[in-house]
Amino acid sequence: MNYPVVTGGAGFIGSALVRALLAQGAERVSVVDNFLSGKAENLAEVADRVEIHRADIREYNAIAPLLKGAPVVFHLAAIPSVPRSITEPVPSHESNIDGTFNVMRAAQEGGVGRVVYAASSSAYGDTEVLPKVETMAPNPKSPYALQKLVGEYYGSVFHSCYGLETVALRYFNVYGPRQDPSSPYSGVLSIFMTKLLERSAPIIFGDGEQSRDFTYVEDVAGLCIKAWKAPAATVSGKVYNAGNGGRFTLNEIWRTLCKIEGVQIEPQYGPDRAGDVKHSQADTTAAVRDLGHAPRFSFEDGLRRTLEWYRASLR
Ligand code: UD1
């Protein structure tokens, strides 16, 4: 395989990365996806330049030949929900830990140039200090947070023990076009936007004063590519925050969305959600310094673009 591989490439973030790779000059991109949450339609615009392989990262023998010899593997395939990992820990463990081990092993045995791994800022848990910086001790509060942290450790150990080039990016809350709003486990902004366009009230878990560093999907895709290109001596085996550095509460966001739409809808409030982190905000110093991280989308820009996409897709 002579071109980049994206596991989970038919998903919301993975498909944005595939489009970004092609836009930045990749001739073709190979996608490995089990289509559990990925969708072929996410890649429709670029289908003629994408090789799609329906395979599951839990099956080493199925994925190893697909990764062999690739210049880079972006490993995004996962079951990405905090609450789902609490209600269904087994599939979550199998994909996020066993699957990640299989990807690292296949990459190392197959001579892959570098693995860029989608880690999670949920690994920090609740910290006393904000923003959260990579030198803080992790403190996972859910199976998902722990699983994503184990994947980071596998990356750094495959680097130190076998010389595989790896970089882990701790995603903060990624949002943007194509995020699927249809499941109770969907990202909060995808749910807020569809509720807003339907003119109905969202349910906010807790008091709505929890905050997140929402990051526009194209900025994350751009950073993944930078993590591939950055000098190995500087970045290999390391972990970087992939956030924006800002922080917005759910109450603020719902108010802003209502203002953009010119409506007034009171949200409903429910109980706190198990495993939830209260606040999340990235210190981006290391990513800026070592990877050249330079987010292009302010939160308001990203919100407006995303809202327009949902409006068009509901039509
Ligand atoms: C999200 C990502 C996770 C990522 C992590 C990094 C999703 C689905 N999960 O987790 O993969 O690793 O960020 O920080 O994108 N909420 C409501 N009402 C709803 C849905 C959610 O109030 O209808 C609340 C939640 O209780 C939580 C906040 O919104 O406090 C964010 O939830 P969610 O979008 O599921 O993301 P995270 O759990 O932060």
Side-chain angles (χ1 to χ4, degrees), residues 151-203:
E152 286 180 12
Y153 286 147
Y154 262 128
S156 71
V157 164
F158 267 78
H159 173 250
S160 60
C161 293
Y162 307 112
L164 179 67
E165 289 184 19
T166 63
V167 185
L169 298 177
R170 283 186 179 164
Y171 292 180
F172 284 67
N173 293 59
V174 185
Y175 73 101
R178 295 183 179 80
Q179 189 169 26
D180 182 356
S182 64
S183 140
Y185 301 126
S186 298
V188 67
L189 284 190
S190 69
I191 296 174
F192 273 17
M193 301 239 176
T194 39
K195 292 285 181 194
L196 180 71
L197 294 169
E198 292 163 8
R199 303 290 186 256
S200 61
I203 298 174

Side-chain angles (χ1 to χ4, degrees), residues 37-292:
S37 55
K39 295 181 196 148
E41 70 198 54
N42 284 341
L43 294 167
E45 284 165 31
V46 289
D48 56 332
R49 290 194 289 156
V50 176
E51 268 191 22
I52 295 182
H53 302 279
R54 184 182 287 266
D56 196 306
I57 56 169
R58 289 171 299 180
E59 291 167 29
Y60 176 79
N61 291 333
I63 62 159
L66 303 174
L67 271 49
K68 194 164 190 254
V72 61
V73 171
F74 296 96
H75 175 39
L76 278 69
I79 297 185
S81 160
V82 170
R84 187 166 176 185
S85 78
I86 296 174
T87 51
E88 300 172 44
V90 174
S92 180
H93 177 101
E94 288 174 351
S95 290
N96 300 346
I97 294 187
D98 300 341
T100 295
F101 172 75
N102 287 338
V103 168
M104 296 290 173
R105 177 183 161 209
Q108 185 259 321
E109 290 179 356
V112 164
R114 185 172 293 187
V115 176
V116 178
Y117 166 66
S120 170
S121 60
S122 59
Y124 287 111
D126 289 315
T127 57
E128 279 177 22
V129 178
L130 293 172
K132 300 183 183 192
V133 62
E134 294 88 340
T135 48
M136 287 174 171
N139 184 19
K141 289 181 69 183
S142 63
Y144 172 77
L146 171 67
Q147 292 153 9
K148 281 283 161 183
L149 180 62
V150 171
E152 286 180 12
Y153 286 147
Y154 262 128
S156 71
V157 164
F158 267 78
H159 173 250
S160 60
C161 293
Y162 307 112
L164 179 67
E165 289 184 19
T166 63
V167 185
L169 298 177
R170 283 186 179 164
Y171 292 180
F172 284 67
N173 293 59
V174 185
Y175 73 101
R178 295 183 179 80
Q179 189 169 26
D180 182 356
S182 64
S183 140
Y185 301 126
S186 298
V188 67
L189 284 190
S190 69
I191 296 174
F192 273 17
M193 301 239 176
T194 39
K195 292 285 181 194
L196 180 71
L197 294 169
E198 292 163 8
R199 303 290 186 256
S200 61
I203 298 174
I204 291 181
F205 302 121
D207 63 6
E209 288 304 301
Q210 65 267 53
S211 61
R212 294 289 185 272
D213 184 348
F214 288 98
T215 315
Y216 193 62
V217 65
E218 287 182 33
D219 282 331
V220 173
L223 187 60
C224 287
I225 298 174
K226 289 177 174 175
W228 170 29
K229 302 284 166 95
T234 311
V235 302
S236 208
K238 299 225 178 101
V239 176
Y240 292 94
N241 284 342
N244 254 346
R247 176 166 85 84
F248 297 87
T249 69
L250 297 188
N251 287 330
E252 275 177 293
I253 294 167
W254 181 253
R255 275 198 302 273
T256 306
L257 285 171
C258 286
K259 205 164 125 202
I260 292 174
E261 279 294 278
V263 295
Q264 206 179 354
I265 302 167
E266 282 307 308
Q268 290 176 21
Y269 289 88
D272 286 345
R273 202 175 71 175
D276 251 12
V277 168
K278 186 72 182 173
H279 300 295
S280 188
Q281 182 180 19
D283 181 320
T284 60
T285 310
V288 170
R289 182 191 63 222
D290 292 355
L291 307 176

